[in-house]
Amino acid sequence: MERRTFLRTTVIGGSAAAFGGSLWRGAAYAAPAQPGSGPYGALRAADANGIRLPAGFSSRVIARSGRKVSGTSYTWHNAPDGGACYADGSGWIYVSNSEITPSGGAGAVRFSSSGSITGAYRILSGTRQNCAGGKTPWNTWLSCEEVDRGYVYETDPWGVEQAVRRDAMGRFKHEAAAADPVRKVVYLTEDVSDSCFYRFRPTTWGDLSSGTLEVLRMGPGTSGPVTWATVPDPSGASAATRNQVSGAKRFNGGEGCHYADGTCWFTTKGDNRVWQYDAAAETIELAYDDSLVSGGTPLTGVDNVTRTASGDLYVAEDGGNMEICVITPDNVVAPFLRVDGQSSSEITGPAFSPDGSRLYFSSQRGTSGRSSGGITYEVTGPFRS
């Protein structure tokens, strides 16, 4: 993908699971998922890194908080969180947020075509509790502050351009972002117990310096048509953005967010749900809801989410038993991996290399249970294309 410089304004330094609708756009209404071990089979015993994986997959440690990334001068940041991958010639870059206050920000690791680490560096500094974010079609990283009246920062994964604070995208407790290039909007989640789901409509697509912040409205229930209303004061100075529009839909703790093929999926950790917004039809429904499951489910503490070209959703757990679970288009949910011995941590930042052959993620607090104990991993193997 072509790298593009972004425009700037303010510059700063298994069990059964229950589903509502099919994960395939336009497919028929789906029945609850069936028990099974998923597309990759059962998890094996933990490897030398404490990762339990299906047969044919292997893991390696990419970076540890407080230590130099191998072969580089960059000390990996504490509490690694949301992340994304970017094509870089024949190689790629993995970016990762730092969810600490103060001095959160984000860093990046560069890889060669063979997967060797060729560099690591800081891409954002001087910010607070950078949790998740999202990748733009013009190859920048939106890093979101998970603090009251937090900002979105647009950053350069190559570390050349200075980061830019995007005030027009609203000031609230930001979590994740997902760009929709068809409707030319960016969807945004909010991490509070009575959160809203937003979209930002830039004045000019590709330039996030100005535009309109809108909030989703709908009737009672968990499915149906939606409308969007303009947030009068995106700065949140007069009132919290979620309290400015009558009838704004409330969600229990917005978390991860991912757009693909006309659908935006987002998670709510407070009620352990995965939602799907059909952007063309402007309707919303549940893709996953563990409250409808009898006998337990492998997926709890839903958080960051990503998707592969095959249509599989990968959902990281904050809580549960430290798994990344896969939800398939035919409505099976199963663990893809589990991290042993790190119960005081959470899994963050799942993202695939551009060719889909490698999965990156972090254990935010590692074995120590502290932000200084973060570990970032890579998993390789026969992922479904």
Side-chain angles (χ1 to χ4, degrees):
M1 296 175 65
E2 179 187 4
R3 176 186 166 213
R4 290 170 52 192
T5 301
F6 51 89
L7 301 176
R8 65 189 63 245
T9 48
T10 307
V11 179
I12 65 121
S15 296
F19 290 80
S22 172
L23 294 176
W24 288 112
R25 287 264 296 115
Y29 187 85
Q34 297 302 309
S37 56
Y40 300 109
L43 303 183
R44 300 175 300 168
D47 63 13
N49 297 317
I51 311 296
R52 298 185 61 185
L53 292 160
F57 290 86
S58 61
S59 74
R60 67 166 171 160
V61 173
I62 297 301
R64 294 180 184 270
S65 295
R67 301 188 192 180
K68 303 288 187 186
V69 177
S70 177
T72 78
S73 61
Y74 178 66
T75 300
W76 196 237
H77 45 270
N78 288 348
D81 206 286
C85 282
Y86 298 79
D88 179 41
S90 59
W92 60 92
I93 294 168
Y94 176 67
V95 301
S96 169
N97 280 343
S98 176
E99 194 186 12
I100 60 172
T101 298
S103 303
V109 181
R110 179 179 278 125
F111 299 88
S112 70
S113 59
S114 66
S116 299
I117 295 173
T118 61
Y121 44 89
R122 174 70 63 158
I123 63 172
L124 175 64
S125 299
T127 56
R128 306 167 296 163
Q129 203 142 332
N130 296 78
C131 195
K135 181 179 179 178
T136 69
W138 48 94
N139 282 336
T140 59
W141 169 245
L142 301 180
S143 183
C144 298
E145 286 186 317
E146 190 193 13
V147 296
D148 185 47
R149 297 189 70 217
Y151 290 103
V152 175
Y153 293 84
E154 188 171 14
T155 68
D156 177 14
W158 285 261
V160 176
E161 302 288 338
Q162 282 188 293
V164 179
R165 197 178 76 195
R166 294 306 190 189
D167 296 25
M169 299 185 78
R171 295 193 65 183
F172 53 88
K173 199 171 184 181
H174 283 278
E175 179 69 30
D180 176 350
V182 178
R183 279 143 289 273
K184 299 181 179 180
V185 298
V186 179
Y187 303 105
L188 300 161
T189 56
E190 180 180 28
D191 192 0
V192 293
S193 60
D194 61 341
S195 65
C196 288
F197 184 59
Y198 303 88
R199 71 181 183 188
F200 177 68
R201 189 182 299 280
T203 303
T204 302
W205 185 237
D207 176 3
L208 302 178
S209 62
S210 65
T212 302
L213 183 68
E214 300 172 324
V215 65
L216 182 143
R217 302 175 66 186
M218 67 176 290
T222 57
S223 65
V226 309
T227 59
W228 295 89
T230 299
V231 176
D233 177 15
S235 75
S238 58
T241 54
R242 65 186 179 276
N243 295 330
Q244 294 181 28
V245 174
S246 176
K249 174 67 174 177
R250 301 296 178 156
F251 297 93
N252 193 348
E255 292 285 346
C257 186
H258 184 84
Y259 172 88
D261 298 336
T263 298
C264 185
W265 291 272
F266 63 98
T267 62
T268 51
K269 188 168 61 182
D271 49 17
N272 212 50
R273 288 169 165 173
V274 180
W275 302 76
Q276 57 185 35
Y277 168 64
D278 183 325
E282 293 200 319
T283 59
I284 199 168
E285 63 183 325
L286 286 173
Y288 170 82
D289 183 3
D290 81 340
S291 70
L292 303 179
V293 179
S294 59
T297 171
L299 177 56
T300 57
V302 297
D303 204 311
N304 293 166
V305 59
T306 192
R307 182 178 181 265
T308 65
S310 68
D312 293 331
L313 285 182
Y314 285 73
V315 185
E317 290 186 336
D318 177 2
N321 52 1
M322 285 289 290
E323 291 180 341
I324 294 179
C325 288
V326 60
I327 303 176
T328 69
D330 53 349
N331 296 336
V332 172
V333 60
F336 169 72
L337 65 78
R338 181 183 305 158
V339 181
D340 281 355
Q342 300 185 30
S343 59
S344 295
S345 186
E346 63 184 272
I347 291 182
T348 59
F352 283 89
S353 59
D355 67 357
S357 67
R358 300 168 191 251
L359 171 65
Y360 296 92
F361 71 95
S362 295
S363 170
Q364 190 180 76
R365 296 178 293 277
T367 57
S368 70
R370 298 188 295 270
S371 62
S372 58
I375 308 170
T376 300
Y377 300 94
E378 175 193 82
V379 169
T380 57
F383 289 103
R384 304 205 298 179
S385 61

